Amino acid sequence: MHLGVLHFPTDFSIDVRELAVALEERGFESLFVPEHTHIPASRRSPWPGGPELPRHYWHTLDPFVALTAAACVTTRLRVGTGICLIVERDPITTAKEVASLDMLSGGRVLFGIGGGWNREEMENHGTRFSTRWRLMRERVLAMRTIWTADEPEYHGEMVDFDPMWSWPKPVQRPHPPVLLGGGGPGVLARVVEYGDGWMPIPGRGPLLERIPELHDLCERAGRPPLPVTVCVASPEDLGRYQEAGVVRCLLPLPSLPRDEVLRELDRFAPLVLQHA
């Protein structure tokens, strides 16, 4: 099982470049960073993680800028979004950003996506909460077309464009793995239809008991079993995730200054070999 970390890179925490080097030196497989363009001050949407939203949510760096910086100072570390809010993004621009990062990193991108939880944040981007899953599906399918075709075109209900030219194409073929986040009742059907893996967060719906369901849906769809990446895993739970066949767990790394983060990394480092 691979071990990575999930970290909010901010203007007050360890430099993401220094963090990336430290992760690679300690044998971690990956660095995942989340995305929030902003947090509306109204705070109408409750945060699923608790009553108080931590300030790193509105201080986090742009994920593709941060991951490019991380990729440029490492050679093996995989770089991932956990998650990219594709429902708040233009698919043509995002397809180019993902492909550019995949090229510059030498094919190390893991593209985690999701619909998000903040209704007013989506509204600021012109997205309706009630139709976000339909929008996400079309944007992902459109991006897949851009990555794989020389003259891609897509004609859907919510995404529509005529034949175009768009390069670079991703180094990974056919494209970087698309990992779908979420824990709702419809998530596994979405994973099997247009994803390359599932990336659930513990505590936001059933997890281990749904892995057999995921494999059953894959078999019925004629797909091989799709991998599971557990986002924000507790160290004490790694053993049972590994036994269940989870391929990757992301340990939470706080948005703190350099010395405090490196101490936490050193605490986690023995787990890399223990769960390899």
Side-chain angles (χ1 to χ4, degrees), residues 205-269:
L207 200 164
L208 291 180
E209 53 267 53
R210 296 198 72 182
I211 294 178
E213 179 189 352
L214 173 62
H215 292 168
D216 181 61
L217 289 172
C218 288
E219 183 177 1
R220 283 190 271 165
R223 301 193 65 180
L226 293 174
V228 176
T229 294
V230 174
C231 191
V232 197
S234 299
E236 57 269 21
D237 292 329
L238 295 180
R240 65 191 187 100
Y241 291 140
Q242 188 167 18
E243 289 177 7
V246 169
V247 302
R248 178 182 299 104
C249 281
L250 306 181
L251 297 166
L253 198 62
S255 300
L256 294 172
R258 173 188 180 276
D259 291 348
E260 294 173 75
V261 167
L262 294 183
R263 280 196 295 270
E264 188 76 350
L265 270 188
D266 287 336
R267 187 173 73 87
F268 285 157

Side-chain angles (χ1 to χ4, degrees), residues 36 45-46 56 121-122 136 169 176 241 251 264:
H36 283 283
S45 292
H56 54 243
E121 181 183 352
M122 295 178 207
M136 186 171 79
K169 302 300 183 186
Y241 291 140
L251 297 166
E264 188 76 350

Side-chain angles (χ1 to χ4, degrees), residues 84-148:
C84 176
L85 293 171
I86 191 64
V87 300
E88 299 178 3
R89 286 179 152 268
D90 177 86
I92 298 172
T93 302
T94 306
K96 182 177 284 285
E97 288 183 315
V98 173
S100 298
L101 176 58
D102 203 52
M103 184 189 77
L104 291 172
S105 68
R108 288 185 275 150
V109 173
L110 296 163
F111 188 43
I113 67 164
W117 53 269
N118 195 308
R119 291 173 181 253
E120 52 268 37
E121 181 183 352
M122 295 178 207
E123 291 167 1
N124 290 166
H125 287 280
T127 295
R128 293 171 55 193
F129 190 80
S130 61
T131 58
R132 69 195 187 284
W133 301 126
R134 285 160 47 203
L135 179 64
M136 186 171 79
R137 174 184 178 274
E138 289 200 8
R139 286 184 175 173
V140 173
L141 294 178
M143 291 171 65
R144 284 179 176 272
T145 301
I146 294 170
W147 289 329
T148 57

